[in-house]
């Protein structure tokens, strides 16, 4: 595989975790960093073996001409950056949630089609070997018909680790979109269609949801029990229950090392794949393979997957009365 030339926009926690994954990914080269602060950009770039830093996205696109741009900045900034990169005809991987509402999503999807370039929302969880194994077991009928999914991304970050914008209305934050999206993506992986109904309750911090719990129902009695929180800690293992058995993905399902198949008769089969660094290397390598093949979306997390989950989230947050600036633009 030829070298894939990456540019990273942002120098925060997730950008650092992504860059660590790049160091473990075959044929991945960091050729440019974009940061509002030149000093922060230089520190970040040097840490990961890059010498080229820009404070302006457009200048980077003109001069560096990367093969793909990874966007890791606060939620409300994603849309304009994605559109600028796509307009330049360059593929995009954007951190989740990709954009703030359906209007913005329609615009980026249309621009990607117009420019005929790759676009993906960064649901890295779908690319981990343990998750791919779980999907294979489901597709092979190992647990029979899937009936329920239980998944919660509930955390209580230390003050030193907390990024305040995640809990603020001005940056289109909230637990549902920041951590809960992973739980919803687990349900959507098992039940690819939109739920018939989604009954949810949430605790507000005065601006957005600080935590939520949800029951999503599907045809034929299927259901998903989902949660996301910044103010509590729960079991971080996803359980997928079928007629013949169940699958456990963990120990933290959003970046797992194991998938366990437990049959109703008690027999077990365990898949385990430990990994160095952050684990972002699996997403990076999957995308590089897509680019090599000329594919315009990733089969592990398609643009249809993004649409279904984005609509689900938008409907839910608006039912809670959470309205972002982008909703009135």
């Amino acid at each position: 595989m030829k070298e894939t030339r990456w540019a990273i926009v942002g120098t925060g926690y997730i950008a650092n975790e992504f860059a660590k994954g790049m160091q473990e990914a075959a044929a991945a080269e960091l050729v440019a960093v974009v940061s509002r602060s030149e000093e922060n950009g230089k520190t970040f770039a040097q840490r990961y073996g890059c010498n080229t830093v820009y404070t302006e996205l457009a200048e980077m696109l003109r001069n560096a001409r990367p093969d793909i741009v990874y966007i890791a900045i606060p939620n409300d900034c994603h849309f304009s950056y994605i559109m600028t990169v796509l307009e330049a005809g360059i593929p995009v991987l954007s951190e989740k949630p990709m954009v703030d509402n359906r209007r913005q999503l329609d615009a980026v999807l249309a621009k990607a089609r117009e420019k005929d370039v790759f676009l993906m929302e960064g649901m890295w969880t779908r690319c981990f070997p343990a998750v791919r194994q779980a999907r294979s077991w489901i597709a092979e009928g190992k647990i029979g018909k899937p009936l329920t999914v239980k998944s919660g991304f509930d955390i209580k970050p230390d003050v030193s680790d907390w990024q305040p914008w995640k809990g603020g209305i001005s940056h289109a934050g909230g637990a549902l979109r920041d951590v809960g999206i992973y739980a919803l993506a687990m349900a959507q992986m098992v039940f690819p269609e939109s739920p018939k109904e989604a009954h949810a309750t949430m605790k507000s911090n005065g601006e957005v949801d600080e935590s939520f719990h949800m029951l999503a129902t599907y045809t034929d009695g299927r259901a998903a029990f989902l949660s996301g929180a910044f103010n509590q800690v729960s079991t971080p293992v996803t359980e997928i229950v079928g007629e013949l058995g169940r699958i456990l993905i963990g120990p933290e399902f959003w970046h797992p090392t194991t998938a366990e198949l437990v049959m109703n008769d008690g027999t077990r089969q365990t898949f385990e794949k430990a990994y160095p660094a952050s684990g972002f290397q699996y997403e990076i390598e999957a995308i590089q393979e897509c680019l090599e093949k000329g594919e315009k979306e990733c089969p592990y997390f398609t643009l249809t997957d993004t649409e279904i989950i984005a609509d689900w989230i938008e409907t839910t947050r608006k039912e809670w009365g959470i309205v972002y600036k982008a909703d009135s633009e």
Side-chain angles (χ1 to χ4, degrees):
M1 179 181 290
K2 70 175 184 178
E3 288 284 321
T4 300
R5 303 171 72 254
W6 289 81
I8 294 179
V9 179
T11 59
Y13 172 77
I14 291 299
N16 274 273
E17 293 300 291
F18 188 87
K20 292 173 187 176
M22 282 191 67
Q23 294 180 323
E24 302 294 333
E29 179 186 6
L30 179 59
V31 298
V33 173
V34 178
S35 173
R36 289 176 299 178
S37 162
E38 186 173 359
E39 181 181 355
N40 289 346
K42 286 181 177 179
T43 299
F44 180 95
Q46 290 170 3
R47 183 181 300 141
Y48 301 108
C50 177
N51 298 314
T52 308
V53 176
Y54 297 88
T55 56
E56 296 293 335
L57 176 64
E59 183 184 3
M60 184 278 288
L61 296 173
R62 286 193 304 271
N63 296 336
R65 295 300 300 178
D67 296 318
I68 185 167
V69 176
Y70 169 61
I71 297 174
I73 51 182
N75 299 342
D76 62 310
C77 302
H78 291 180
F79 176 65
S80 62
Y81 276 71
I82 293 170
M83 291 296 283
T84 298
V85 178
L86 290 177
E87 184 62 43
I90 297 174
V92 173
L93 168 65
S94 171
E95 259 313 316
K96 41 54 53 189
M98 185 154 65
V99 289
D100 293 341
N101 57 26
R102 183 69 206 210
R103 181 191 62 78
Q104 290 184 346
L105 182 57
D106 287 341
V108 298
L109 294 177
K111 183 59 67 174
R113 288 192 295 268
E114 174 194 334
K115 296 296 182 176
D116 195 32
V117 295
F118 178 93
L119 174 64
M120 182 182 176
E121 182 177 31
M123 185 53 66
W124 68 323
T125 300
R126 291 282 184 91
C127 300
F128 279 85
V131 172
R132 288 154 60 180
Q133 180 60 67
R135 296 187 82 169
S136 293
W137 282 335
I138 294 169
E140 293 164 7
K142 295 290 189 181
I143 62 170
K145 179 182 177 181
L147 301 175
T148 61
V149 176
K150 299 175 184 176
S151 187
F153 194 148
D154 302 325
I155 57 174
K156 193 170 184 178
D158 293 333
V159 173
S160 60
D161 295 332
W162 177 241
Q163 296 169 286
W165 66 263
K166 292 187 174 187
I169 192 72
S170 63
H171 287 298
L176 174 60
R177 283 176 28 100
D178 189 75
V179 288
I181 189 172
Y182 290 101
L184 270 61
M186 282 285 103
Q188 194 269 334
M189 181 181 80
V190 180
F191 307 135
E193 72 272 30
S194 299
K196 285 174 51 183
E197 295 181 290
H199 309 275
T201 184
M202 72 91 166
K203 179 185 181 298
S204 174
N205 64 4
E207 294 189 26
V208 294
D209 52 305
E210 185 177 36
S211 64
F212 78 94
H213 294 84
M214 178 186 292
L215 166 63
T217 61
Y218 301 81
T219 58
D220 203 22
R222 297 170 298 151
F225 303 89
L226 311 169
S227 64
F230 296 141
N231 63 353
Q232 56 193 274
V233 178
S234 69
T235 300
V237 173
T238 288
E239 182 181 48
I240 302 164
V241 181
E243 296 171 318
L244 305 178
R246 56 198 172 100
I247 296 169
L248 304 173
I249 302 172
E252 292 179 329
F253 78 87
W254 52 93
H255 61 154
T257 57
T258 62
E260 187 173 19
L261 176 65
V262 184
M263 304 308 295
N264 288 348
D265 64 6
T267 59
R268 294 172 178 261
Q269 180 179 343
T270 300
F271 172 91
E272 186 167 3
K273 176 70 173 179
Y275 50 84
S278 62
F280 270 104
Q281 55 264 37
Y282 298 120
E283 182 180 53
I284 292 165
E285 290 177 347
I287 291 169
Q288 291 180 167
E289 184 176 346
C290 290
L291 297 178
E292 185 82 8
K293 293 178 178 178
E295 296 173 348
K296 301 305 185 291
E297 56 185 303
C298 180
Y300 300 134
F301 194 68
T302 68
L303 295 175
T304 297
D305 295 335
T306 286
E307 289 184 272
I308 290 171
I309 296 168
D311 286 343
W312 185 357
I313 288 175
E314 183 167 354
T315 298
T316 301
R317 70 167 173 86
K318 286 183 175 178
E319 287 176 351
W320 291 338
I322 297 175
V323 179
Y324 300 139
K325 180 181 177 182
D327 295 330
S328 59
E329 294 177 344

